Amino acid sequence: MRPVFIAGTGLACALGGDLPDCIAALLRGGVPLVAVTAAEGFDWPVFQLPRGDGDWATQARAHVRRVAAECGALATSRTAPLFVASSSLDIGEREQDASFPVDLQDFADVVAGWIDWRGPVYTVSTACTSSVNAMLAASDLIRHGEAANALVLGIELPNRYTLAGFGAMQLLSPDAARPFGAARNGLVLGEAVAASWLTSEAARWRVRGGANVVDGRNPAGTEAGAVDAMCSQALSQAGLAPSDVDLVKPQAAGSVTNDAIELDALRTVFGNALPPMVSFKAQIGHTLGAAGVAEIALLARCIEARAWPALGYALDPACEVALNQGAPARLRYILFNTIGFGGGHTALVLEDCSR
Amino acid sequence: MTAWQCVAHVVADPPATDWRDALARRLGERPRRIGLWAELAIHGARACLDAAGEEVLPADARLRVAGFSGAMSATRAATQQGARGLLPMPFGFMQSQPSQMLAAVGASLGWCGDASFMLGRDAPALVRLAQLGAASGGVLFGRVEEMEEEGAVRLRTEWWRFVPVPPRGSRSPG
């Protein structure tokens, strides 16, 4: 089977409209949250994409074109498979004109049109694990020689629906995202458009393995057994042992309960020798279906630029975790976890082939 | 390259009028806290496994579900609450998410594993994508639609059970 590499990434999120802007903002200490009204009398903070001119679709198209260009995909024949990963799709645009989605594939087709894409177009919608599941599917195509490249776009655009839904479920923080924090009190949503251009040709970042485990017993939270299973399966596919992992990017969105369950499960995988961890959710929020490719893009660029997110809040001493303490001296293998609504648990093993 | 065979295919277009009662009898209980679309998915998935003679889906199987409509009625109800300036009901919002359907199908089958909701205009390509890299447990693939037509809701659930063809010369156990 062919190896799978990440040839390029692109990102627009609250930190900025492209990766250089994102890194610059990260080094400046981040950007402020914006209070958004989800329903009458209900405001929550959100990490918003930079706003530009034009209506919802005009701004969405601009972000998609920019990140697709940034990852290098637009400099190709544009005939590779395209995966559009999102939990909210175009519901934000429909809120503008009170229309109703009748075909969930329509948005991916529109996105393909925005970038003049001529390859097959897929939608992946598995909540917060959407873009990692899209990467796993794209990797299947490349590994088995069905495609030489694939473009994965993770897209979560402005809308009230998601914010209202998460708010109704009492999952949102009223002030800040603090993964593993002593004062963590919920997650903060973030908007993002992110890209990952996958290839079979050697590049710095390799997707060594991955796994997706859906455990429906707890459709709104993290299941320890599923965390263990996803990590073990991903490492097995990568041909690695837990002791090979140099860095973990956990899900850890700032939930009092789910952060603790995830950490306990990671201790089952790694024992008490937990690798150092890194998180970006305090800087960009939980970008839901885009989170996988958004955080991969940010992490890879941080490592390449020798930048690192600051912590900025007190960790929960009970967690006993080394989070955002700087890049580890040895950094070759990364375990990258995302967990989502609907019992979805996904893990990727990334390799920095320059090490 | 793995060769695949379809060992079961069921389609309910539309399902029998008493399909929800039949599903409750088959499962031994009525599904709770899930929406119509997820219940329709469970109905098809369970019927397809029954047609394949399988009580349980193997742990290393893949579950793939498509459906252009998504959870139409749950999404409509939740968005209408938003349009009135209200927060959606929590279970209503959850039921509008395709991931909740995957959780419901998995839970009803007593199964945890690689489940995903994917769409594409080329249905055979979507099936082939589901099969690529799948393990010996094969693929349970469904298309579930909850469509609104001329003011009425039209339901459709169609499922396939694919398993790898054993390599030539291999023996069946027993």
Side-chain angles (χ1 to χ4, degrees):
Chain A
M1 286 195 288
R2 295 179 180 181
V4 180
F5 297 91
I6 302 172
T9 57
L11 176 64
C13 66
L15 292 173
D18 60 20
L19 278 164
D21 282 357
C22 290
I23 296 298
L26 199 68
L27 292 174
R28 288 196 303 270
V31 293
L33 284 157
V34 177
V36 175
T37 300
E40 289 173 12
F42 294 97
D43 293 0
W44 282 281
V46 173
F47 281 108
Q48 288 190 330
L49 279 162
R51 296 297 194 255
D53 295 329
D55 60 12
W56 188 96
T58 302
Q59 294 191 51
R61 183 172 61 230
H63 285 306
V64 167
R65 283 179 172 168
R66 192 168 179 182
V67 301
E70 186 172 34
C71 78
L74 299 191
T76 70
S77 62
R78 308 186 192 190
T79 55
L82 166 64
F83 292 83
V84 175
S86 177
S87 67
S88 59
L89 302 171
D90 58 353
I91 199 139
E93 181 178 32
R94 296 180 182 279
E95 287 171 351
Q96 311 293 314
D97 60 9
S99 63
F100 186 77
V102 293
D103 184 334
L104 298 186
Q105 178 67 12
D106 281 350
F107 178 62
D109 292 342
V110 168
V111 168
W114 286 345
I115 54 174
D116 192 22
W117 202 262
R118 295 178 286 278
V121 181
Y122 299 96
T123 297
V124 181
S125 189
T126 57
C128 317
T129 59
S130 299
S131 59
V132 173
N133 273 321
M135 287 191 68
L136 291 172
S139 297
D140 279 336
L141 288 171
I142 293 172
R143 280 202 180 92
H144 292 86
E146 298 276 324
N149 304 92
L151 174 59
V152 176
L153 293 175
I155 303 177
E156 293 295 350
L157 293 162
N159 73 91
R160 290 192 314 276
Y161 182 74
T162 309
L163 186 67
F166 275 76
M169 296 188 67
Q170 303 183 348
L171 297 173
L172 298 178
S173 166
D175 49 18
R178 303 178 190 89
F180 299 132
R184 67 186 187 275
N185 57 2
L187 57 91
V188 169
L189 296 182
E191 302 161 359
V193 179
S196 197
W197 178 236
L198 303 181
T199 177
S200 59
E201 295 179 11
R204 176 167 178 174
W205 295 98
R206 180 178 176 185
V207 181
R208 288 277 303 221
N212 171 42
V213 177
V214 171
D215 186 335
R217 288 175 296 180
N218 180 0
T222 301
E223 276 291 325
V227 174
D228 187 3
M230 74 176 182
C231 295
S232 301
Q233 290 176 24
L235 287 169
S236 173
Q237 189 183 61
L240 298 174
S243 58
D244 293 318
V245 173
D246 303 310
L247 180 71
V248 174
K249 196 296 295 176
Q251 165 65 19
S255 157
V256 173
T257 305
N258 289 334
D259 284 17
I261 293 172
E262 182 183 10
L263 201 52
D264 282 348
L266 288 173
R267 287 204 164 88
T268 303
V269 176
F270 291 100
N272 285 325
L274 271 181
M277 298 198 190
V278 66
S279 172
F280 297 100
K281 287 191 171 68
Q283 288 81 21
I284 68 171
H286 185 6
T287 57
L288 303 177
V293 283
E295 293 178 5
I296 285 173
L298 201 47
L299 176 57
R301 186 57 63 96
C302 277
I303 292 169
E304 290 163 3
R306 299 178 186 277
W308 211 247
L311 185 59
Y313 58 89
L315 288 171
D316 183 347
C319 289
E320 297 183 71
V321 63
L323 183 72
N324 293 9
Q325 303 296 306
R330 190 188 82 160
L331 212 181
R332 181 171 179 185
Y333 297 115
I334 300 167
L335 181 64
F336 185 98
N337 295 344
T338 57
I339 301 170
F341 233 34
H345 299 66
T346 56
L348 292 175
V349 177
L350 305 175
E351 178 182 6
D352 184 346
C353 298
S354 72
R355 307 285 172 137
Chain B
M1 182 171 292
T2 305
W4 293 86
Q5 59 181 326
C6 178
V7 295
H9 173 218
V10 299
V11 57
D13 181 18
T17 52
D18 66 342
W19 69 271
R20 298 180 89 169
D21 293 333
L23 178 61
R25 284 194 298 274
R26 176 64 184 86
L27 297 179
E29 60 183 356
R30 204 169 281 282
R32 296 171 62 233
R33 294 177 173 174
I34 66 170
L36 177 63
W37 187 59
E39 194 171 349
L40 189 63
I42 294 171
H43 172 59
R46 184 65 263 171
C48 191
L49 280 187
D50 287 345
E54 295 176 275
E55 182 60 30
V56 296
L57 189 63
D60 66 346
R62 277 182 176 174
L63 172 66
R64 292 290 183 270
V65 187
F68 294 109
S69 72
M72 188 268 293
S73 58
T75 307
R76 183 179 289 278
T79 54
Q80 286 175 343
Q81 286 163 342
R84 293 199 301 272
L86 305 172
L87 294 181
M89 297 301 289
F91 279 116
F93 173 72
M94 289 175 71
Q95 289 166 8
S96 74
Q97 305 295 308
S99 61
Q100 293 294 320
M101 173 272 299
L102 298 173
V105 173
S108 75
L109 299 178
W111 174 87
C112 299
D114 178 3
S116 189
F117 177 79
M118 288 191 194
L119 285 174
R121 298 286 178 214
D122 183 345
L126 205 57
V127 171
R128 178 156 178 73
L129 178 58
Q131 293 170 339
L132 277 176
S136 60
V139 177
L140 180 61
F141 186 98
R143 181 177 166 191
V144 186
E145 302 287 3
E146 180 195 1
M147 298 164 285
E148 194 171 67
E149 289 183 353
E150 298 174 351
V153 175
R154 181 184 164 202
L155 303 179
R156 185 178 195 281
T157 186
E158 183 170 15
W159 288 77
W160 295 260
R161 179 76 173 103
F162 298 103
V163 297
V165 176
R168 187 173 295 181
S170 67
R171 290 185 176 181
S172 299

Coordinates of all heavy atoms in Angstrom, one line a residue, chain A residues 119-182:
Chain A
G119 N -13.0 17.2 -9.7 CA -12.9 15.8 -9.2 C -14.2 15.4 -8.5 O -15.1 16.2 -8.3
P120 N -14.3 14.1 -8.1 CA -15.5 13.7 -7.3 C -15.6 14.4 -6.0 O -14.6 14.7 -5.3 CB -15.2 12.2 -7.1 CG -13.8 12.0 -7.4 CD -13.3 13.0 -8.3
V121 N -16.8 14.7 -5.5 CA -17.0 15.5 -4.3 C -17.8 14.7 -3.3 O -18.9 14.1 -3.6 CB -17.8 16.8 -4.7 CG1 -18.0 17.6 -3.5 CG2 -17.1 17.6 -5.8
Y122 N -17.3 14.6 -2.1 CA -18.0 13.9 -1.0 C -18.2 14.9 0.1 O -17.5 15.8 0.4 CB -17.1 12.8 -0.5 CG -16.7 11.8 -1.5 CD1 -15.5 11.8 -2.2 CD2 -17.6 10.7 -1.8 CE1 -15.2 10.9 -3.2 CE2 -17.3 9.7 -2.7 CZ -16.1 9.8 -3.4 OH -15.7 8.9 -4.4
T123 N -19.3 14.6 0.9 CA -19.6 15.3 2.1 C -19.4 14.3 3.3 O -19.8 13.1 3.2 CB -21.1 15.7 2.2 OG1 -21.3 16.7 1.2 CG2 -21.4 16.3 3.5
V124 N -18.7 14.7 4.3 CA -18.6 13.9 5.5 C -19.1 14.7 6.7 O -18.6 15.9 6.9 CB -17.1 13.5 5.8 CG1 -17.0 12.7 7.1 CG2 -16.5 12.8 4.6
S125 N -20.1 14.2 7.4 CA -20.6 15.0 8.5 C -20.8 14.0 9.7 O -21.8 13.3 9.8 CB -22.0 15.6 8.1 OG -22.5 16.4 9.1
T126 N -19.9 14.0 10.5 CA -19.9 13.2 11.8 C -19.6 14.1 13.0 O -18.8 13.7 13.8 CB -18.9 12.0 11.7 OG1 -17.6 12.5 11.5 CG2 -19.3 11.1 10.6
A127 N -20.2 15.3 13.0 CA -19.9 16.2 14.1 C -18.5 16.6 14.2 O -17.8 16.8 13.1 CB -20.5 15.7 15.4
C128 N -17.9 16.6 15.4 CA -16.6 17.1 15.6 C -15.5 16.2 15.0 O -14.3 16.7 14.9 CB -16.3 17.2 17.1 SG -17.8 17.9 18.0
T129 N -15.8 15.0 14.6 CA -14.8 14.1 14.0 C -14.9 14.2 12.5 O -14.2 13.4 11.8 CB -15.0 12.7 14.4 OG1 -16.3 12.2 14.1 CG2 -14.8 12.5 15.9
S130 N -15.7 15.1 11.9 CA -15.9 15.1 10.5 C -14.6 15.1 9.6 O -14.4 14.3 8.7 CB -16.8 16.3 10.1 OG -18.1 16.2 10.7
S131 N -13.8 16.1 9.9 CA -12.6 16.3 9.0 C -11.6 15.2 9.2 O -10.8 14.9 8.3 CB -12.0 17.7 9.1 OG -11.6 18.0 10.4
V132 N -11.5 14.6 10.4 CA -10.6 13.5 10.6 C -11.2 12.2 9.8 O -10.4 11.5 9.2 CB -10.3 13.1 12.1 CG1 -9.5 11.8 12.2 CG2 -9.6 14.3 12.7
N133 N -12.5 12.0 9.9 CA -13.0 10.9 9.1 C -12.9 11.2 7.6 O -12.7 10.2 6.9 CB -14.5 10.8 9.5 CG -14.7 9.9 10.7 OD1 -14.0 8.9 10.8 ND2 -15.7 10.2 11.5
A134 N -12.9 12.4 7.2 CA -12.6 12.7 5.8 C -11.2 12.4 5.5 O -10.9 11.9 4.4 CB -12.9 14.2 5.5
M135 N -10.3 12.7 6.4 CA -8.9 12.4 6.1 C -8.7 10.9 6.1 O -7.9 10.4 5.3 CB -8.0 13.0 7.2 CG -7.8 14.5 7.0 SD -6.5 15.2 8.1 CE -5.0 14.6 7.3
L136 N -9.4 10.1 6.9 CA -9.3 8.7 6.9 C -9.8 8.1 5.6 O -9.2 7.2 5.0 CB -10.0 8.1 8.1 CG -9.4 8.3 9.5 CD1 -10.4 7.8 10.6 CD2 -8.1 7.7 9.6
A137 N -10.9 8.6 5.1 CA -11.4 8.2 3.8 C -10.5 8.5 2.7 O -10.3 7.7 1.8 CB -12.8 8.8 3.6
A138 N -10.0 9.8 2.7 CA -9.1 10.2 1.6 C -7.8 9.3 1.7 O -7.3 9.0 0.6 CB -8.8 11.7 1.8
S139 N -7.4 9.0 2.9 CA -6.2 8.2 3.0 C -6.4 6.8 2.4 O -5.5 6.2 1.8 CB -5.8 8.1 4.5 OG -5.4 9.3 5.0
D140 N -7.6 6.3 2.6 CA -8.0 5.0 2.0 C -7.8 5.0 0.5 O -7.3 4.1 -0.1 CB -9.4 4.6 2.4 CG -9.5 4.0 3.7 OD1 -8.5 3.5 4.3 OD2 -10.7 4.0 4.3
L141 N -8.3 6.1 -0.1 CA -8.2 6.2 -1.6 C -6.7 6.2 -2.0 O -6.3 5.6 -3.0 CB -8.9 7.5 -2.1 CG -10.4 7.5 -2.0 CD1 -10.9 8.9 -2.3 CD2 -11.0 6.5 -3.0
I142 N -5.9 6.9 -1.3 CA -4.5 7.1 -1.7 C -3.7 5.8 -1.4 O -3.0 5.3 -2.2 CB -3.8 8.3 -0.9 CG1 -4.5 9.6 -1.5 CG2 -2.3 8.3 -1.1 CD1 -4.1 10.8 -0.7
R143 N -3.9 5.2 -0.2 CA -3.2 3.9 0.2 C -3.5 2.8 -0.8 O -2.6 2.0 -1.1 CB -3.7 3.5 1.6 CG -3.1 4.2 2.7 CD -3.1 3.4 4.0 NE -2.5 4.2 5.0 CZ -3.2 5.0 5.8 NH1 -4.5 5.1 5.7 NH2 -2.5 5.7 6.7
H144 N -4.7 2.8 -1.3 CA -5.1 1.7 -2.2 C -4.9 2.1 -3.7 O -5.4 1.3 -4.6 CB -6.5 1.2 -1.9 CG -6.6 0.5 -0.6 ND1 -6.8 1.2 0.6 CD2 -6.5 -0.8 -0.2 CE1 -6.8 0.4 1.6 NE2 -6.6 -0.8 1.1
G145 N -4.3 3.2 -4.0 CA -3.9 3.5 -5.3 C -5.1 4.0 -6.1 O -5.0 4.1 -7.4
E146 N -6.2 4.4 -5.5 CA -7.4 4.9 -6.2 C -7.2 6.4 -6.5 O -8.0 6.9 -7.3 CB -8.6 4.6 -5.4 CG -8.9 3.2 -5.1 CD -9.7 2.5 -6.3 OE1 -10.5 3.1 -6.9 OE2 -9.4 1.3 -6.5
A147 N -6.3 7.0 -5.8 CA -6.1 8.4 -6.1 C -4.7 8.8 -5.7 O -4.1 8.1 -4.8 CB -7.1 9.3 -5.3
A148 N -4.1 9.7 -6.4 CA -2.7 10.1 -6.0 C -2.8 11.3 -5.0 O -1.8 11.5 -4.3 CB -2.0 10.6 -7.3
N149 N -3.9 12.0 -5.0 CA -4.0 13.1 -4.1 C -5.5 13.2 -3.7 O -6.4 12.6 -4.3 CB -3.7 14.5 -4.8 CG -2.3 14.5 -5.4 OD1 -2.1 14.2 -6.6 ND2 -1.4 14.9 -4.6
A150 N -5.7 13.9 -2.6 CA -7.1 14.2 -2.2 C -7.1 15.5 -1.4 O -6.1 15.8 -0.7 CB -7.7 13.1 -1.4
L151 N -8.1 16.3 -1.6 CA -8.3 17.6 -0.8 C -9.3 17.4 0.3 O -10.5 17.0 -0.1 CB -8.6 18.7 -1.8 CG -8.9 20.1 -1.1 CD1 -7.8 20.6 -0.3 CD2 -9.3 21.1 -2.2
V152 N -9.0 17.7 1.5 CA -9.9 17.7 2.6 C -10.2 19.1 3.1 O -9.2 19.8 3.4 CB -9.5 16.8 3.8 CG1 -10.5 16.9 4.9 CG2 -9.3 15.4 3.3
L153 N -11.4 19.6 3.0 CA -11.7 20.9 3.5 C -12.6 20.7 4.8 O -13.6 20.1 4.7 CB -12.5 21.7 2.5 CG -11.7 22.1 1.2 CD1 -12.7 22.8 0.2 CD2 -10.6 23.1 1.6
G154 N -12.2 21.3 5.9 CA -13.0 21.3 7.1 C -13.6 22.7 7.2 O -12.9 23.7 7.2
I155 N -14.9 22.8 7.3 CA -15.6 24.1 7.2 C -16.7 24.2 8.2 O -17.6 23.4 8.3 CB -16.3 24.2 5.8 CG1 -15.2 24.1 4.7 CG2 -17.0 25.6 5.6 CD1 -15.8 24.1 3.2
E156 N -16.5 25.2 9.1 CA -17.5 25.6 10.1 C -17.7 27.1 10.0 O -16.8 27.8 10.4 CB -17.2 25.1 11.5 CG -17.2 23.6 11.7 CD -18.5 22.9 11.5 OE1 -19.6 23.6 11.4 OE2 -18.5 21.7 11.5
L157 N -18.8 27.5 9.4 CA -19.0 28.9 9.1 C -20.0 29.6 10.1 O -20.6 28.9 10.8 CB -19.5 29.1 7.7 CG -18.4 28.6 6.6 CD1 -19.0 28.3 5.3 CD2 -17.3 29.7 6.5
P158 N -20.0 30.9 10.1 CA -20.9 31.5 11.0 C -22.4 31.1 11.0 O -22.9 31.0 9.9 CB -20.8 33.0 10.6 CG -19.5 33.2 9.9 CD -19.3 31.8 9.2
N159 N -22.9 30.7 12.1 CA -24.4 30.4 12.2 C -24.8 30.4 13.6 O -24.0 30.2 14.5 CB -24.6 29.0 11.5 CG -24.2 27.9 12.4 OD1 -24.9 27.3 13.2 ND2 -22.9 27.5 12.2
R160 N -26.1 30.7 13.8 CA -26.6 30.7 15.2 C -27.1 29.3 15.6 O -27.1 29.0 16.8 CB -27.8 31.7 15.3 CG -27.5 33.1 15.1 CD -28.8 34.0 15.5 NE -30.0 33.5 14.9 CZ -30.4 33.8 13.6 NH1 -29.7 34.6 12.9 NH2 -31.5 33.3 13.1
Y161 N -27.4 28.5 14.7 CA -28.0 27.2 15.0 C -27.1 26.3 15.9 O -27.6 25.8 16.9 CB -28.3 26.5 13.7 CG -29.0 25.1 13.8 CD1 -30.3 25.0 14.1 CD2 -28.3 23.9 13.6 CE1 -30.9 23.8 14.3 CE2 -28.9 22.7 13.8 CZ -30.2 22.6 14.1 OH -30.8 21.4 14.2
T162 N -25.9 26.2 15.5 CA -25.0 25.4 16.3 C -24.7 26.0 17.7 O -24.7 25.2 18.7 CB -23.6 25.2 15.6 OG1 -23.8 24.8 14.2 CG2 -22.7 24.2 16.2
L163 N -24.5 27.3 17.7 CA -24.3 27.9 19.0 C -25.6 27.7 19.9 O -25.4 27.4 21.1 CB -24.1 29.4 18.8 CG -23.7 30.2 20.0 CD1 -22.3 29.8 20.6 CD2 -23.7 31.7 19.7
A164 N -26.7 27.9 19.3 CA -28.0 27.7 20.1 C -28.1 26.2 20.6 O -28.5 26.0 21.7 CB -29.2 28.1 19.3
G165 N -27.8 25.3 19.7 CA -27.9 23.9 20.1 C -26.9 23.5 21.2 O -27.3 22.8 22.2
F166 N -25.7 23.9 21.1 CA -24.7 23.6 22.1 C -25.1 24.4 23.4 O -24.9 23.8 24.5 CB -23.3 24.0 21.7 CG -22.6 22.9 20.9 CD1 -23.0 22.6 19.6 CD2 -21.7 22.1 21.5 CE1 -22.4 21.6 18.9 CE2 -21.1 21.0 20.8 CZ -21.4 20.8 19.5
G167 N -25.6 25.6 23.2 CA -26.0 26.3 24.4 C -27.2 25.7 25.1 O -27.2 25.5 26.3
A168 N -28.1 25.2 24.3 CA -29.3 24.5 24.9 C -28.9 23.2 25.7 O -29.5 22.8 26.6 CB -30.3 24.1 23.8
M169 N -27.8 22.6 25.2 CA -27.3 21.4 25.9 C -26.4 21.8 27.1 O -25.9 20.9 27.7 CB -26.6 20.5 24.9 CG -27.5 20.0 23.8 SD -26.7 18.8 22.8 CE -26.4 17.5 24.0
Q170 N -26.3 23.1 27.4 CA -25.5 23.5 28.5 C -24.0 23.0 28.4 O -23.4 22.6 29.4 CB -26.1 23.1 29.8 CG -27.5 23.6 29.9 CD -28.2 23.3 31.3 OE1 -27.7 22.5 32.0 NE2 -29.3 23.9 31.5
L171 N -23.5 23.1 27.2 CA -22.1 22.6 27.0 C -21.1 23.8 26.9 O -19.9 23.6 26.8 CB -22.0 21.8 25.8 CG -22.8 20.5 25.8 CD1 -22.7 19.8 24.4 CD2 -22.3 19.5 26.8
L172 N -21.6 25.0 26.8 CA -20.8 26.2 26.5 C -20.3 26.9 27.8 O -21.0 27.0 28.7 CB -21.5 27.1 25.6 CG -22.0 26.6 24.3 CD1 -22.7 27.7 23.5 CD2 -20.8 26.1 23.5
S173 N -19.0 27.4 27.7 CA -18.5 28.2 28.7 C -19.0 29.6 28.5 O -19.1 30.1 27.4 CB -16.9 28.2 28.6 OG -16.4 29.3 29.4
P174 N -19.3 30.3 29.6 CA -19.7 31.7 29.5 C -18.5 32.7 29.3 O -18.7 33.9 29.0 CB -20.3 32.0 30.8 CG -19.7 31.1 31.8 CD -19.3 29.9 31.0
D175 N -17.3 32.2 29.4 CA -16.2 33.2 29.3 C -14.9 32.7 28.5 O -14.4 33.5 27.8 CB -15.7 33.6 30.7 CG -15.5 32.4 31.7 OD1 -15.3 31.3 31.2 OD2 -15.5 32.6 32.9
A176 N -14.5 31.4 28.6 CA -13.2 31.1 28.0 C -13.1 29.5 27.9 O -13.7 28.8 28.7 CB -12.0 31.6 28.8
A177 N -12.3 29.1 26.9 CA -12.0 27.7 26.8 C -10.7 27.4 27.6 O -9.7 28.1 27.4 CB -11.8 27.3 25.4
R178 N -10.8 26.5 28.5 CA -9.6 26.2 29.3 C -9.4 24.6 29.4 O -9.7 24.0 30.4 CB -9.7 26.7 30.8 CG -10.0 28.2 30.9 CD -10.2 28.6 32.3 NE -10.7 29.9 32.5 CZ -12.0 30.3 32.5 NH1 -12.9 29.4 32.3 NH2 -12.3 31.5 32.6
P179 N -8.8 24.0 28.3 CA -8.6 22.6 28.3 C -7.8 22.2 29.5 O -6.7 22.8 29.8 CB -7.9 22.4 27.0 CG -8.3 23.5 26.1 CD -8.5 24.7 27.1
F180 N -8.3 21.2 30.3 CA -7.6 20.7 31.5 C -7.4 21.7 32.5 O -6.6 21.6 33.4 CB -6.3 20.0 31.1 CG -6.4 18.8 30.2 CD1 -5.5 18.7 29.1 CD2 -7.3 17.8 30.4 CE1 -5.6 17.6 28.2 CE2 -7.4 16.7 29.6 CZ -6.5 16.6 28.5
G181 N -8.1 22.8 32.4 CA -7.9 24.0 33.3 C -8.6 23.7 34.7 O -9.6 23.0 34.8
A182 N -8.1 24.4 35.7 CA -8.7 24.3 37.0 C -10.1 24.9 37.0 O -10.9 24.5 37.8 CB -7.8 25.0 38.0

